[in-house]
Amino acid sequence: MIEDNDIILKQAARVLTPFILIYGIYITFHGHLTPGGGFSGGTVIASSLILNRISSGNHGSGPEIDRMMGIASIALVCYGLIKAMGTFFPDFTHRVLPRGIPGDLLSGGAILPLNIAVGFVVACVMYIFFCLIGEEA
Amino acid sequence: MSSVVHLANNYIYIASFTLFLIGFSILLLNSNLIKKIIGMNIMDTSVFLLFISQGYIKGRKAPILEGGGSVNPAEYVNPVPSALILTGIVVAVSVTAFLLALTVKLYNLYGTVDMDEIIEIRRSVDGNS
Amino acid sequence: METVRNFPVLIIYIFFIGSFIQPLVRNVRISLLLTVAISAVSSAASAAVVYYVRTNGDFLFDVAPWSAPWGIELSIGTLEAFVIAVICSVGTLISIYGIGMVEKEIPARNIKIYNALFLALLGSMTGIAATGDIFNMYVFIEITSITACGIISVKDDKKSIEATVKYLVYSSLASGCILLAIALLYGITGNLNIRYIHHHLTEVMYLYPRNVLLASCLIIVGFGLKAAMFPLHFWLPDAHSSAPTTSSAVLSALVLKAYSVGLIKILTGVFGIVVMSLLPLKTILMYLGSGAVLIGSLLAMTQSRIKRMLAYSSVVQMGYIFLALSLFNRTGFTGALFQILNHALTKTLLFLSAGNIKYYTGKESIEQLKGIGYRMPVTMAVFSVGALSMVGLPMTSGFNSKWYIGYGAIEAGKIGVLIVIVISSLLNAAYYLPVVVSAFFRRPSPGDEIQQPVNLPWFTSVPMIVMAVLIIVLGLYPDPVINFISGAAKIF
C-alpha cells in the first residue's frame, strides 16, 4: 500500500506518534477531572496505532488481531472484576482504591482504574475494526 | 402572540424533534444502506441534544474541578446527563460499527449497497423465498 | 439467607465475565462447556432467588455503595424472579443442545464469538428483568439487540446477513424512540429511578400532560417493535428463520419475552395504574392482540417451510400475551406470565426438533416430512408434544395458559376475547396437526425408503425430552407455579 519512497510520511509518523499517545493517555487518566475518560482517550490512542499501520504498510493481520483481542478481553475481565469487588466487598475497595481530595489525580475511587481498562478496550477494538474493514479485500 | 413566545421559549424541544423526525424518515424510507446509517446517527444525536440540554442551569459554570479544596455543588451545571450521554454515544457508535461491517459484507456478496436492488437480485435468483 | 439478595447481581456479573473470557479460550469444546457451566450455575442461583422471593417478598438491592437516587438499584419482585428463572433455565437447556449442534451450522472460526454473544445475551436479558433504573434498562436493551443480531449473523451466509440488517435497522429505530421517551421523562421529573419517577409523576402529571402522553406512546411503539406486536412484526419471519437453530430458539423463546417484560415493568412501575387507565391501552392492546392472533395464524397456514411457520407462530403466541395484558385483571396477568413460561419451553422444543430434522435428513419443507416419524422417532415424538401444547390440548401447559386468559376475559366481561382464543386454537390446529399427521401416518415418498432410526447423542436428545416432560407436568400440576405468579399482579 505504501511504496518505499514515501519516506516523508514514515518519518512524520514516527515523530508524531509519541505526542498523540501522550495526549490520549492524558485524556484517559484525567477522566474524573476533565471531560473525556476512557472512551475518547481510547479513540485517540487507537488513532496513533492506525497512523503507524497506514504509514508502515500492513504486516499481515492474523496473529496480530488475536493478540489485540486477547488484550481487550483481559482488560474487560479486569473491568468486570473491579466492579464486582466494588459491589460485594465495598470496605476492601475503599481501602485499596484512593479516595483523595476532589481535584487531585489520585482521587475518585474506582473511576481511574475503570477509565484505564476502558481505554485499553476501546483502543484495541478500534484498531481491530480498522484492520478488518479499512483494508482492501 | 403568547403561542409564539411559548414556542420561542422551548426552542430546544423544537430543534430536537425536527432532527428526530428527519433522522427517523431517512432511516425508514431511504433504500441506500449508507444513508440509513447516517439517518440513524442523526436520530440518535437529536435525542442526545434533548437529554443534555435538560441539565443546563442558567448562570452556572461547567463542572470541571480544579485542584485542591472543597467543592460547592451550587456553582456547577448538572453533570449527570452528560455522563449518561457518554454511554449513549458509545452505544450509537457500536451499532454504527456493526451496521457498517454488515454493509461491507453485503457489498462483497451482492455488489450493491441498495436494499431494493438486493431484494430484486435475491428474488430473481431464488424464485420463491 | 441474606446472601441470596446478592444473587441477581452475581448472575449478571458471571454471565458478562464469562462472555469476556470466551475470546481467550483455546479450544472450541472448552468454550461450549464453559457456556453450559455458567448457565447451569446461573439457573441454580435463580432458583434460590425464586425461593427467597416466595418466602420473604420483594426486595431492593443497591449495586454500588451509593443508595437509590444517586446509584443504580435492582428491584426484584415476583415477576422479575420468575422471568430470570425462565431465562436461565431455558438458556441452560439450549446450551446443552448446542454442545452437539453448534459446530454443524456455524463456521469453526466463529464459534468462540458465538458463545461470547450467547452469554452476553442471557446476561443482558437478566439485566432488563432485574433493574430498577430506566437508563440502565436502556443500556441492557441495546446490549440485547446488538447480541441478538450478532447471533443471527455468525452463520455467515447471504440470507442471515440480510435478515440481520433488517432486524438491526428496525431495532435501532425502536431504541431511538425509547431513548426519546426516557429523555422526556427525565426532563419533567429529574430522576432516573423507577420508584422515584413514579412518585414525582403523580405530582407533575397534570402540569405536563403532553410530555407524559408522548413518552407513553413512544414507549409502546418502541417496545412493541422489538417484541413483535402485531403490525410491527414484519422483521420477525426473516430473522428467526434464517438464523442457526440454537439462535432461533433463543430469539423466539427468550428475547421477545425480555422486551415484553421490560414493557410491563415500565408501564406498571413508571406510569402506574392512573396513567394506564387514562390512556386507551385496553382498546389498543386488545385490537392489536386479536389482529396478531388471527392474522398471524392465517399467514402461518400459507408457509411451506417449517422454520418460517414456527416464526409466524411466535407472532401468534406473543399476541396472546398482549391480549392477556389488555384485560387489566389479576387472572389475565397470571395467564400472561404462564404463557411466557409455556411459550419459552414449547417454542424452544419446536425449533430444536426442526433443527434436528434439517441436520439429520436435510429436509426443510413441510411436504417432504412424510413418514419421517419412523426415521427420527424421538424428535417427532417431542415435536408432537410441542405441537399439541401450541394447539392447547388439555394435559399440556398450553391449555392452562389459554384457560387462564379465557377465564380473565370472562371476569373482565370481554366475551370477544374468548371467541378469538377459541377460533385461534382451531387455526393453530390447522397448521400444526398436518405436520404431526404426515410424519407418522403417511408413507414416505418413493425416493427415501424406511431406513434405520437415527441415533441421537445424549446431549441432543436429553434437553428436548426434559422440556417435553416439563410441558406435560406443567399441564397436569400447574398449581405451584400459578400460586407463585399470581402474587405478581399487585396493581390490578
Side-chain angles (χ1 to χ4, degrees):
Chain A
M1 204 162 112
I2 301 289
E3 298 100 18
D4 269 332
N5 52 3
D6 274 326
I7 197 163
I8 297 183
L9 187 57
K10 282 193 200 168
Q11 293 297 344
R14 276 169 83 187
V15 167
L16 274 180
T17 302
F19 292 105
I20 303 179
L21 268 179
I22 292 273
Y23 183 50
I25 295 179
Y26 168 79
I27 297 181
T28 312
F29 270 61
H30 287 251
H32 50 288
L33 302 171
T34 59
F39 301 120
S40 33
T43 316
V44 176
I45 296 178
S47 68
S48 82
L49 296 173
I50 292 176
L51 175 65
N52 254 338
R53 187 176 172 95
I54 294 183
S55 70
S56 64
N58 7 344
H59 300 293
S61 18
E64 203 174 40
I65 292 185
D66 283 339
R67 221 180 328 145
M68 283 292 178
M69 203 166 327
I71 296 179
S73 306
I74 295 178
L76 275 172
V77 171
C78 290
Y79 185 96
L81 288 178
I82 295 178
K83 291 281 291 186
M85 289 216 316
T87 305
F88 297 123
F89 307 108
D91 308 323
F92 175 70
T93 25
H94 282 188
R95 268 185 284 127
V96 168
L97 298 169
R99 269 291 171 97
I101 313 169
D104 275 355
L105 186 56
L106 278 184
S107 64
I111 300 184
L112 182 57
L114 292 180
N115 268 332
I116 299 175
V118 170
F120 269 114
V121 171
V122 174
C124 295
V125 166
M126 290 283 187
Y127 182 66
I128 291 175
F129 198 65
F130 177 78
C131 292
L132 289 175
I133 304 274
E135 322 263 88
E136 302 144 9
Chain B
M1 194 59 202
S2 73
S3 63
V4 177
V5 173
H6 202 63
L7 280 181
N9 273 337
N10 293 336
Y11 60 97
I12 295 182
Y13 276 81
I14 295 179
S16 163
F17 278 123
T18 313
L19 281 174
F20 185 81
L21 288 173
I22 292 177
F24 192 93
S25 57
I26 295 179
L27 178 57
L28 205 52
L29 300 176
N30 230 323
S31 65
N32 192 344
L33 271 174
I34 304 285
K35 292 188 184 168
K36 278 191 204 265
I37 298 174
I38 295 177
M40 188 194 85
N41 273 321
I42 296 179
M43 187 175 81
D44 279 338
T45 306
S46 76
V47 181
F48 299 152
L49 171 68
L50 182 61
F51 219 115
I52 298 182
S53 70
Q54 312 282 353
Y56 180 66
I57 308 175
K58 211 180 224 183
R60 301 195 188 179
K61 55 182 185 173
I64 299 179
L65 298 175
E66 277 105 36
S70 61
V71 175
N72 184 11
E75 48 185 76
Y76 295 112
V77 160
N78 192 3
V80 170
S82 315
L84 296 174
I85 293 304
L86 213 54
T87 311
I89 291 179
V90 170
V91 165
V93 166
S94 310
V95 177
T96 305
F98 193 11
L99 271 174
L100 282 172
L102 289 174
T103 308
V104 167
K105 259 205 167 289
L106 271 184
Y107 182 73
N108 286 338
L109 284 175
Y110 284 107
T112 170
V113 276
D114 195 303
M115 275 307 270
D116 289 343
E117 291 181 24
I118 291 179
I119 294 180
E120 270 306 307
I121 296 179
R122 233 191 76 187
R123 199 165 288 161
S124 67
V125 163
D126 279 354
N128 184 18
S129 72
Chain C
M1 205 50 190
E2 288 307 305
T3 56
V4 181
R5 297 170 80 101
N6 292 334
F7 279 4
V9 173
L10 196 62
I11 294 176
I12 301 179
Y13 275 139
I14 62 175
F15 270 131
F16 275 111
I17 295 184
S19 156
F20 298 154
I21 293 181
Q22 289 281 358
L24 298 169
V25 169
R26 299 274 162 217
N27 206 349
V28 161
R29 281 272 139 177
I30 297 183
S31 101
L32 289 167
L33 289 175
L34 184 65
T35 311
V36 174
I38 290 183
S39 314
V41 168
S42 307
S43 308
S46 64
V49 170
V50 164
Y51 183 67
Y52 182 87
V53 170
R54 205 173 69 150
T55 50
N56 295 36
D58 307 351
F59 65 94
L60 301 164
F61 179 80
D62 297 325
V63 173
W66 300 279
S67 63
W70 296 278
I72 295 179
E73 69 173 2
L74 306 180
S75 78
I76 312 286
T78 317
L79 166 68
E80 291 89 359
F82 178 68
V83 171
I84 295 177
V86 167
I87 290 175
C88 294
S89 40
V90 175
T92 313
L93 290 170
I94 294 178
S95 54
I96 296 180
Y97 177 89
I99 298 181
M101 296 298 283
V102 162
E103 305 160 312
K104 314 279 193 325
E105 291 186 337
I106 299 178
R109 64 180 189 276
N110 285 345
I111 293 188
K112 285 191 297 191
I113 300 180
Y114 170 80
N115 279 319
L117 290 171
F118 187 83
L119 285 174
L121 179 64
L122 291 180
S124 56
M125 287 193 290
T126 311
I128 295 181
T131 185
D133 180 296
I134 48 174
F135 198 79
N136 198 11
M137 191 187 283
Y138 170 73
V139 172
F140 279 129
I141 287 174
E142 286 296 299
I143 303 179
T144 306
S145 45
I146 295 180
T147 47
C149 298
I151 59 176
I152 304 179
S153 68
V154 274
K155 200 173 177 194
D156 245 353
D157 68 347
K158 285 185 178 183
K159 277 176 29 171
S160 48
I161 294 184
E162 274 180 54
T164 311
V165 168
K166 215 198 248 194
Y167 185 14
L168 193 55
V169 162
Y170 290 123
S171 196
S172 57
L173 199 67
S175 300
C177 293
I178 296 176
L179 189 59
L180 186 58
I182 294 178
L184 288 170
L185 284 175
Y186 180 72
I188 54 178
T189 55
N191 267 314
L192 289 167
N193 193 342
I194 288 183
R195 287 182 304 135
Y196 282 73
I197 292 186
H198 181 64
H199 178 79
H200 285 222
L201 205 59
T202 51
E203 308 159 355
V204 148
M205 195 167 70
Y206 300 106
L207 295 175
Y208 302 102
R210 291 197 200 98
N211 279 23
V212 174
L213 178 65
L214 192 56
S216 56
C217 293
L218 283 168
I219 292 261
I220 293 175
V221 167
F223 276 103
L225 185 51
K226 285 182 183 270
M229 202 154 68
F230 169 55
L232 308 166
H233 69 282
F234 39 80
W235 52 270
L236 194 138
D238 280 332
H240 287 202
S241 64
S242 47
T245 310
T246 43
S247 307
S248 306
V250 170
L251 284 171
S252 262
L254 298 177
V255 170
L256 299 175
K257 307 299 181 310
Y259 286 134
S260 49
V261 165
L263 177 64
I264 295 176
K265 273 189 81 148
I266 291 190
L267 278 181
T268 61
V270 172
F271 289 111
I273 192 70
V274 176
V275 178
M276 280 168 72
S277 327
L278 289 176
L279 295 168
L281 259 187
K282 286 194 208 177
T283 325
I284 293 178
L285 284 178
M286 193 169 70
Y287 280 120
L288 293 182
S290 317
V293 164
L294 294 173
I295 301 186
S297 303
L298 291 175
L299 286 171
M301 286 200 290
T302 69
Q303 298 302 315
S304 61
R305 287 194 320 179
I306 200 170
K307 272 198 172 181
R308 260 181 104 87
M309 178 191 90
L310 292 177
Y312 274 108
S313 166
S314 287
V315 176
V316 174
Q317 304 291 321
M318 289 307 290
Y320 281 134
I321 296 183
F322 291 117
L323 257 186
L325 286 176
S326 77
L327 298 170
F328 273 30
N329 58 5
R330 280 203 164 208
T331 324
F333 199 73
T334 311
L337 291 186
F338 199 81
Q339 169 71 359
I340 287 181
L341 174 61
N342 165 49
H343 184 224
L345 287 174
T346 316
K347 197 41 72 77
T348 308
L349 186 59
L350 291 171
F351 266 114
L352 296 185
S353 20
N356 260 346
I357 295 176
K358 174 149 181 230
Y359 174 66
Y360 282 102
T361 60
K363 299 190 197 302
E364 276 191 344
S365 88
I366 300 185
E367 329 176 313
Q368 296 173 325
L369 292 179
K370 291 196 271 244
I372 209 171
Y374 298 103
R375 183 116 185 264
M376 314 192 64
V378 172
T379 307
M380 286 317 291
V382 296
F383 188 94
S384 313
V385 171
L388 293 177
S389 168
M390 284 273 140
V391 172
L393 220 62
M395 271 192 8
T396 58
S397 56
F399 172 71
N400 278 324
S401 71
K402 288 192 176 141
W403 170 262
Y404 275 97
I405 299 177
Y407 199 65
I410 296 180
E411 269 185 12
K414 307 236 186 280
I415 306 295
V417 174
L418 190 60
I419 298 179
V420 163
I421 293 180
V422 169
I423 295 181
S424 74
S425 300
L426 291 175
L427 290 176
N428 281 346
Y431 57 85
Y432 271 116
L433 291 184
V435 181
V436 177
V437 163
S438 79
F440 282 116
F441 294 117
R442 293 255 184 95
R443 301 217 154 268
S445 1
D448 20 62
E449 309 79 25
I450 299 183
Q451 305 163 1
Q452 291 290 24
V454 168
N455 231 346
L456 296 171
W458 68 270
F459 34 78
T460 309
S461 56
V462 161
M464 298 199 298
I465 297 180
V466 164
M467 279 191 275
V469 166
L470 265 180
I471 290 177
I472 299 184
V473 163
L474 280 174
L476 293 172
Y477 304 109
D479 282 331
V481 177
I482 296 283
N483 288 340
F484 178 60
I485 59 183
S486 53
K490 280 183 271 311
I491 68 167
F492 294 130

